[in-house]
Amino acid sequence: MPVVKGNKAAPDGALSLPAVLTFASASIPVGALVLAATVHLPRYFAAELGLSLALVGTVFALVRFIDIPVDAVMGLAMDRTRTRFGRYRIWMAVGAPVLMLGFYMLLISPEGVGAIYLGAWLLVMYVGYSGIYLSHLAWAGRLAATYKERSRVFGAITGLGVIGAIAVLLIPVVMTQAGATDAEGVQAMIWFIIGSTALTCILVVASSPERIARDHGTHFALKDYAALFSRGNVIRLLAADLLVTLGPGWMAALYLFYFKDSRGFDTAAANLLLLIYVVAGFAGAPLAAWLANRLSKHRALMVNTSVYSLGLIVVPFLPAGDFLAFAPIMFLVGAMAAGFTVMIRAICADIADELRLDSGREWMGLMYAGITATSKLATAGAIFLTFNVLAAVGYVAQAGSVNTPEAIRGLEIAYIVGPIVFVMAAGACFIGYKLSADRHAEIRRKLEERDTLLDPAASLESLTGEDLAPVNRPS
């Protein structure tokens, strides 16, 4: 399928590196937002604006659960969208200002702000985030049409997302060194997310081409959508995404407890090791893409899950408090975790192609809404499960508390065993998976033949308003 930018069709081939990086740049504010919303914003509203921890925790949890069905509806709407401006492009263009508005209203929140104000603007922010995030992933799945190209594009998306996460880690440090307060550091972080959202989304919307898949199906009822989530490959993908998110999420929830009380690091050293873990995504994302194009995506995912688990097994045997001994292992584990994200996203696009061949309609947006929902469930579930496990082993988390050797031992076992079990189970989900590079190439060939046969102009959707298809073509 040729790519149309303006009125000129380019040959169907690999995108240039500048084109890939330009398109992937929209993941920078996404990566920043995910870390900021998880680590910094809840504490900001509790510590700086006078809200209770219980209230903040409840509001954030409720908004996230409300956001899950919103993602599903948005994914369905994206797949049904057909405009002269594009299918997924329009959603990014609309999502960016919505996210920026929500974040700005949170930025100017007055002290003692109520739960309704906080919840309402958090929801606005997350709706805008979903518009950008889902459209970006679905657009990537269509822009990178081939099996190998998808590994490359999703590797770039994950790698550039690390830049946003690193910025969120470093902005408060730089602001503190400059004499700013903690609140001013968080506010600077929010301005970075607002500014990077505007810059990168404008860049992507204005310069990146979009391949629009032609729907050849007729009417779809709710039962057709329900049947989607009973298909073997879809179940594999959703289960693997849930588990591969739950494992690192479990580790993250216990991270500071484990590294301080068991491994003997202070807070500063533990956070520096965490920064190494995050930065490793720069290496892990392209490595996963390279591995996928040699072994296949699902086997690359299995390699990542296995190496990640082996790295965690080594951690308890390293000398306590030895930063130089822990740094390489944290880099290795962080690199493998970045590979999970690349492979799950790329496999999702391949399965969406398989679904389109079978059904005649687009499923890309809904598929990415599905893995977004499982990731959100896993993130919320990780905190719930880990904190209950800590309580069950008698671990006391309050500052200044002295835990018994038995409680510390329980913490150590939970930290290591939980992630290994979940991550290895995620890799096992793809045992017997048959959507290989050859099979995907066959699917793409059949899709292109059908598109050309049923509508010769279907692949030439103009992005500037020129309708290249027959006037009476059915929609």
Side-chain angles (χ1 to χ4, degrees):
M1 183 184 296
V3 182
V4 177
K5 186 177 184 299
N7 295 322
K8 296 180 181 180
D12 188 10
L15 297 167
S16 67
L17 180 59
V20 171
L21 295 178
T22 297
F23 179 78
S25 67
S27 64
I28 293 175
V30 169
L33 185 151
V34 169
L35 192 59
T38 303
V39 177
H40 294 284
L41 285 184
R43 183 182 181 279
Y44 173 76
F45 281 104
E48 306 296 338
L49 300 184
L51 300 179
S52 70
L53 285 171
L55 176 62
V56 173
T58 300
V59 170
F60 268 77
L62 285 175
V63 169
R64 295 301 281 170
F65 280 114
I66 291 171
D67 194 39
I68 290 175
V70 170
D71 284 348
V73 172
M74 195 175 291
L76 284 170
M78 286 181 185
D79 291 335
R80 289 179 172 270
T81 298
R82 188 178 184 84
T83 72
R84 293 178 182 272
F85 193 52
R87 170 169 276 161
Y88 302 114
R89 181 188 304 267
I90 185 72
W91 285 90
M92 180 176 288
V94 172
V98 172
L99 182 150
M100 293 162 64
L101 173 63
F103 248 135
Y104 177 74
M105 297 305 295
L106 292 173
L107 177 69
I108 64 173
S109 301
E111 187 173 348
V113 62
I116 294 178
Y117 182 98
L118 174 60
W121 289 112
L122 270 177
L123 185 59
V124 170
M125 183 269 287
Y126 275 121
V127 168
Y129 161 79
S130 294
I132 296 172
Y133 182 66
L134 293 179
S135 64
H136 195 215
L137 294 182
W139 188 349
R142 283 288 158 254
L143 182 61
T146 67
Y147 188 89
K148 289 187 176 181
E149 187 73 356
R150 280 180 179 161
S151 298
R152 181 168 171 250
V153 170
F154 283 108
I157 288 173
T158 303
L160 290 188
V162 174
I163 293 177
I166 292 173
V168 166
L169 288 172
L170 293 182
I171 286 173
V173 175
V174 173
M175 293 292 291
T176 300
Q177 292 295 320
T181 64
D182 288 347
E184 289 170 337
V186 174
Q187 290 162 4
M189 188 188 309
I190 293 175
W191 278 119
F192 169 79
I193 295 172
I194 291 174
S196 61
T197 297
L199 178 63
T200 60
C201 288
I202 288 174
L203 187 63
V204 172
V205 166
S207 63
S208 294
E210 182 177 3
R211 293 183 173 99
I212 303 177
R214 172 65 174 154
D215 288 344
H216 300 300
T218 53
H219 299 291
F220 280 75
L222 287 176
K223 65 178 182 180
D224 298 303
Y225 292 104
L228 168 68
F229 296 102
S230 65
R231 293 179 63 108
N233 279 347
V234 176
I235 293 173
R236 286 178 192 270
L237 179 72
L238 296 179
D241 184 62
L242 179 72
L243 293 165
V244 89
T245 306
L246 188 56
W250 178 290
M251 191 180 81
L254 298 179
Y255 177 79
L256 285 177
F257 300 132
Y258 178 76
F259 270 76
K260 292 179 69 175
D261 289 353
S262 173
R263 298 293 86 201
F265 291 98
D266 59 21
T267 301
N271 280 327
L272 187 54
L273 286 171
L274 181 60
L275 179 61
I276 292 173
Y277 178 95
V278 173
V279 170
F282 280 125
L287 175 63
W290 176 86
L291 196 60
N293 289 335
R294 281 151 182 81
L295 299 180
S296 75
K297 292 169 189 170
H298 68 287
R299 292 191 182 94
L301 177 62
M302 291 177 177
V303 170
N304 276 264
T305 55
S306 299
V307 175
Y308 177 94
S309 299
L310 290 172
L312 283 185
I313 290 173
V314 172
V315 167
F317 300 100
L318 298 176
D322 189 336
F323 185 90
L324 293 180
F326 276 81
I329 293 297
M330 292 301 292
F331 186 89
L332 175 67
V333 173
M336 294 302 102
F340 302 162
T341 303
V342 176
M343 291 302 96
I344 290 290
R345 289 174 175 178
I347 290 170
C348 183
D350 294 343
I351 294 174
D353 279 343
E354 182 181 50
L355 293 170
R356 187 163 73 90
L357 179 63
D358 292 345
S359 67
R361 66 151 299 144
E362 183 63 87
W363 297 93
M364 194 71 75
L366 184 59
M367 285 294 297
Y368 281 109
I371 63 172
T372 301
T374 52
S375 294
K376 289 177 180 178
L377 287 172
T379 302
I383 296 175
F384 174 80
L385 291 172
T386 51
F387 280 35
N388 278 279
V389 167
L390 288 184
V393 301
Y395 182 85
V396 180
Q398 279 78 13
S401 299
V402 178
N403 283 282
T404 65
E406 291 77 16
I408 297 296
R409 185 60 176 167
L411 168 66
E412 292 169 343
I413 294 173
Y415 181 84
I416 298 300
V417 173
I420 290 175
V421 169
F422 292 126
V423 167
M424 289 304 293
C429 287
F430 284 96
I431 295 175
Y433 180 75
K434 299 186 184 303
L435 215 173
S436 63
D438 290 341
R439 169 60 181 154
H440 184 260
E442 181 185 358
I443 289 172
R444 291 298 311 171
R445 179 181 58 78
K446 290 181 178 178
L447 285 171
E448 291 174 6
E449 287 176 354
R450 186 175 64 189
D451 288 342
T452 303
L453 178 64
L454 296 181
D455 186 352
S459 62
L460 300 177
E461 296 295 339
S462 172
L463 304 181
T464 59
E466 180 183 355
D467 190 352
L468 302 175
V471 175
N472 296 321
R473 186 181 68 197
S475 60

